């Protein structure tokens, strides 16, 4: 599960667990699951049952706290929005917010950039406790959206938009809303940062190597021939990858429309689901990748997005990463580049499928007055307007939020990045059977396990099959463990 800070040690569920004990904001049993890229839920230890008098007093205090939180604001409304966007994305978001504030809506939006997901969670939990919760927070997809939505600190997006509808709203991506929807298909968070893995390539280096820059490889076998040509023509880093688990394990399944885990990728219920990432497809792929490592075709491999910089600088000719890498590439690249879907194996599938959608989303927090909720809905409607959402899509590489945003995107944007429109347009198709996503218990820990086993393979400590077998066995114990 991927990037925008995707699979860090902390996740959405940790924030939810942190607010469980806050009076008047609700409690619920935790239920876990998984940059794509997740942060499964951590179940809180059961509390001791208080004496009847203490329980009654606590209930009264909680009710009073909730009433105080819902009271009308004492002064002008200032919506607080917290995020952990990277510098390029943050600069674009700040620009959009500044334009919104200049329109004089009767309230303002204040943006706070947190240095990490951990910091946002820690500060957010403290703010909720102090009845000073922000209105909107960016958190990574943890493949368990129902968990955080159950907590009283969260205001589900479908409730807010039902009360304050956005006119003519039609989401662009089926998977976008699926990744942040509950079991009934109701939207829980705003999918403002939807991301997919893509193949980025340096068109100038392609030409220098005698390759057709308008014909990126369709298959991994074709890609090998391209990398050899690049290496033979003086490119020391033909291929780099960011988010190695997201690209080479999770989306290897998705691109071939094969199950990544049992129980329909855990969507039928994560309890008892088992990874299938040591099947023949994954073993063969990892063996091919290892042959590239040994022959210097594949020198840069990272757990998160560090490889993006190696491509943007021109050091590496090819990069597999999230589409959001375009924010850095557009800002720093001094060469012509193109975008294509991830390669696939034509012997494994008649045609490539679509990848899992990863990324972060904006979650609304409850406990605010009706006037503040209305103001928040007005700001969200602004973000969803075609011109604004199209600009965000084009400047950051995140996928369009709405169908109208895709139509509003400038023709020149797609013309300047060959292949980009085909990749984006394909994501509007209904997802295939096994590409709707997955939900697996304790997936943040699973991602760490898979990354460690991949590194053991790259370093020659384990052969591909043993590395994948060990990853599945270790993950099985983690996914079945109590949270």
């Amino acid at each position: 599960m991927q990037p925008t800070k995707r699979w860090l040690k902390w996740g959405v569920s940790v924030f939810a667990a942190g607010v469980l004990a806050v009076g008047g904001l609700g409690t619920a049993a935790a239920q876990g699951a998984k940059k794509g890229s997740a942060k499964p839920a951590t179940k809180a230890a059961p509390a001791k049952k208080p004496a009847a008098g203490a329980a009654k007093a606590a209930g009264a205090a909680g009710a009073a706290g909730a009433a105080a939180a819902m009271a009308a604001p004492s002064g002008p409304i200032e919506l607080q929005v917290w995020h952990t966007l990277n510098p390029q994305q943050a600069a674009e978001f700040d620009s959009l917010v500044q334009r919104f504030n200049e329109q004089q809506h009767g309230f303002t939006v204040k943006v706070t950039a947190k240095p990490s997901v951990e910091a946002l969670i820690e500060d957010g939990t403290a703010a909720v406790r102090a009845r000073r919760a922000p209105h909107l927070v960016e958190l990574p997809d943890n493949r368990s959206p129902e968990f955080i939505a159950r907590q009283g600190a969260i205001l589900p997006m479908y409730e807010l938009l039902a009360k304050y509808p956005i006119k003519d709203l039609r989401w662009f991506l089926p998977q976008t809303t699926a990744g942040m929807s509950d079991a009934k298909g109701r939207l829980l968070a705003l999918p403002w940062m939807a991301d997919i893995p893509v193949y980025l390539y340096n068109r100038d280096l392609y030409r220098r190597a005698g390759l057709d820059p308008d014909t990126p490889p369709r298959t991994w076998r074709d890609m090998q021939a391209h990398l050899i040509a690049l290496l033979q023509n003086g490119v020391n880093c033909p291929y780099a990858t960011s988010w190695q688990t997201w690209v080479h394990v999770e989306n290897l399944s998705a691109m071939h429309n094969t199950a990544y885990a049992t129980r329909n990728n855990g969507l039928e219920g994560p309890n008892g689901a088992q990874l299938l990432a040591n099947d023949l497809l994954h073993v063969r792929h990892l063996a091919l990748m290892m042959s590239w490592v040994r022959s210097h075709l594949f020198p840069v491999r990272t757990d998160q997005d560090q490889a993006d910089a190696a491509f943007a600088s021109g050091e590496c000719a090819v990069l597999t990463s999230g589409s959001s890498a375009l924010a850095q590439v557009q800002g720093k690249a001094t060469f012509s580049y193109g975008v294509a879907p991830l390669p696939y194996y034509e012997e494994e599938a008649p045609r490539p499928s679509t990848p899992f959608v990863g990324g972060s989303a904006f979650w609304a927090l409850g406990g605010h007055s009706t006037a503040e909720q209305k103001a928040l809905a007005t700001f969200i409607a602004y973000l969803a307007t075609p011109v604004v959402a199209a600009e965000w899509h084009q400047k950051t590489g995140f996928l369009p939020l709405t169908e109208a945003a895709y139509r509003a995107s400038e023709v020149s944007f797609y013309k300047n990045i060959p292949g980009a429109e085909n990749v984006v347009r394909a994501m509007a198709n209904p997802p295939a059977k096994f590409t709707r996503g997955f939900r697996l218990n304790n997936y943040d820990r699973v991602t760490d396990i898979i990354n460690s086993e991949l590194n053991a393979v790259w370093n020659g400590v384990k052969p591909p099959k043993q590395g994948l077998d060990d990853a599945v066995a270790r993950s099985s114990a983690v996914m079945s463990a109590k949270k």
Side-chain angles (χ1 to χ4, degrees):
M1 125 179 325
Q2 181 246 353
T4 308
K5 312 302 182 284
R6 280 133 170 112
W7 328 136
L8 300 176
K9 298 283 185 181
W10 294 69
V12 172
S13 57
V14 181
F15 177 80
V19 299
L20 285 178
V22 181
L25 292 181
T27 59
Q31 175 181 340
K34 175 180 174 179
K35 96 269 196 355
S37 96
K39 310 293 179 277
T42 302
K43 189 175 291 184
K48 294 182 180 179
K49 185 176 181 180
K56 185 175 181 180
M70 292 298 291
S74 58
I77 293 174
E78 181 180 77
L79 295 182
Q80 298 285 334
V81 180
W82 293 4
H83 68 72
T84 60
L85 298 168
N86 69 35
Q88 293 85 8
Q89 296 158 358
E92 175 59 22
F93 187 65
D94 286 345
S95 175
L96 296 179
V97 171
Q98 180 179 350
R99 278 160 38 195
F100 176 83
N101 286 336
E102 290 171 352
Q103 294 173 9
Q104 299 296 316
H105 294 275
F107 63 91
T108 58
V109 175
K110 180 180 179 181
V111 177
T112 300
K114 296 294 182 178
S116 65
V117 174
E118 293 93 332
L120 188 151
I121 291 168
E122 181 178 355
D123 294 348
T125 302
V128 169
R129 239 181 230 118
R131 311 290 182 191
R132 292 183 287 99
H135 299 80
L136 207 61
V137 293
E138 179 227 346
L139 291 170
D141 173 14
N142 75 334
R143 302 294 180 182
S144 184
E146 289 94 338
F147 174 77
I148 188 171
R150 284 196 189 99
Q151 317 313 322
I154 295 302
L155 173 61
M157 197 60 58
Y158 71 87
E159 289 186 8
L160 183 67
L161 298 184
K163 192 173 181 181
Y164 305 103
I166 298 175
K167 187 178 179 181
D168 300 326
L169 178 64
R170 181 181 176 189
W171 304 114
F172 179 71
L173 299 173
Q175 292 103 318
T176 299
T177 51
M180 289 297 166
S181 299
D182 63 13
K184 296 181 179 179
R186 299 176 301 186
L187 190 65
L188 299 173
L190 186 72
W192 181 241
M193 291 143 285
D195 209 354
I196 56 169
V198 294
Y199 180 97
L200 290 158
Y201 63 103
N202 185 319
R203 291 170 58 87
D204 294 347
L205 291 180
Y206 255 55
R207 291 189 187 93
R208 192 182 305 169
L211 298 167
D212 182 358
D214 295 320
T215 311
R218 292 176 57 253
T219 70
W220 291 102
R221 307 293 181 190
D222 294 339
M223 182 178 168
Q224 177 170 280
H226 289 205
L227 299 182
I228 291 172
L230 289 163
L231 183 66
Q232 291 176 340
N233 282 273
V235 178
N236 293 325
C237 175
Y239 173 43
T241 193
S242 287
W243 310 108
Q244 59 182 6
T245 291
W246 190 49
V247 171
H248 289 283
V249 180
E250 297 171 15
N251 278 291
L252 186 66
S253 295
M255 291 299 294
H256 297 86
N257 192 27
T258 61
Y260 179 56
T262 59
R263 297 185 57 77
N264 190 20
N265 286 345
L267 297 179
E268 295 175 0
N271 293 335
Q274 300 292 316
L275 281 187
L276 298 173
N278 60 340
D279 59 5
L280 190 58
L281 170 64
H282 284 81
V283 172
R284 286 178 172 174
H285 176 71
L286 208 56
L288 178 64
M289 295 302 102
M290 190 57 204
S291 73
W292 293 3
V293 171
R294 291 194 180 106
S295 55
H296 309 291
L297 299 177
F298 186 17
V300 179
R301 308 160 301 275
T302 62
D303 296 353
Q304 296 183 27
D305 65 354
Q306 298 93 327
D308 294 2
F311 177 78
S313 69
E315 175 188 352
C316 296
V318 173
L319 171 72
T320 49
S321 186
S323 57
S324 60
L326 280 170
Q328 181 174 175
V329 174
Q330 290 183 102
K332 297 183 178 180
T334 58
F335 52 85
S336 173
Y337 51 89
V339 181
L342 287 182
Y344 77 111
Y345 293 98
E346 55 189 353
E347 63 268 29
E348 297 288 343
R351 66 183 62 85
S353 191
T354 52
F356 293 130
V357 174
S360 300
F362 273 134
W363 293 80
L365 298 188
H368 297 291
S369 70
T370 299
E372 290 170 283
Q373 288 186 8
K374 185 176 181 180
L376 179 58
T378 300
F379 177 61
I380 289 172
Y382 164 79
L383 295 180
T385 55
V387 172
V388 172
E391 182 175 339
W392 177 251
H393 158 55
Q394 293 171 104
K395 294 286 184 65
T396 64
F398 289 123
L399 299 176
L401 180 68
T402 64
E403 179 68 29
Y406 167 72
R407 294 197 304 269
S409 296
E410 297 177 8
V411 174
S412 61
F413 167 71
Y414 293 120
K415 184 178 180 180
N416 291 334
I417 308 178
E421 185 170 17
N422 291 337
V423 171
V424 171
R425 186 68 247 176
M427 295 306 299
N429 298 325
K433 180 179 180 180
F434 293 116
T435 65
R436 292 186 300 119
F438 57 90
R439 294 178 184 171
L440 300 171
N441 290 332
N442 295 326
Y443 199 78
D444 57 333
R445 294 163 61 191
V446 170
T447 303
D448 289 342
I449 289 170
I450 297 174
N451 276 323
S452 69
E453 294 296 343
L454 286 177
N455 291 333
V457 173
W458 306 141
N459 294 329
V461 176
K462 296 182 181 181
K465 187 176 188 309
Q466 182 185 343
L468 290 171
D469 284 346
D470 289 350
V472 169
R474 292 174 60 195
S475 297
S476 178
V478 165
M479 290 190 299
S480 62
K482 292 185 178 180
K483 294 172 284 298

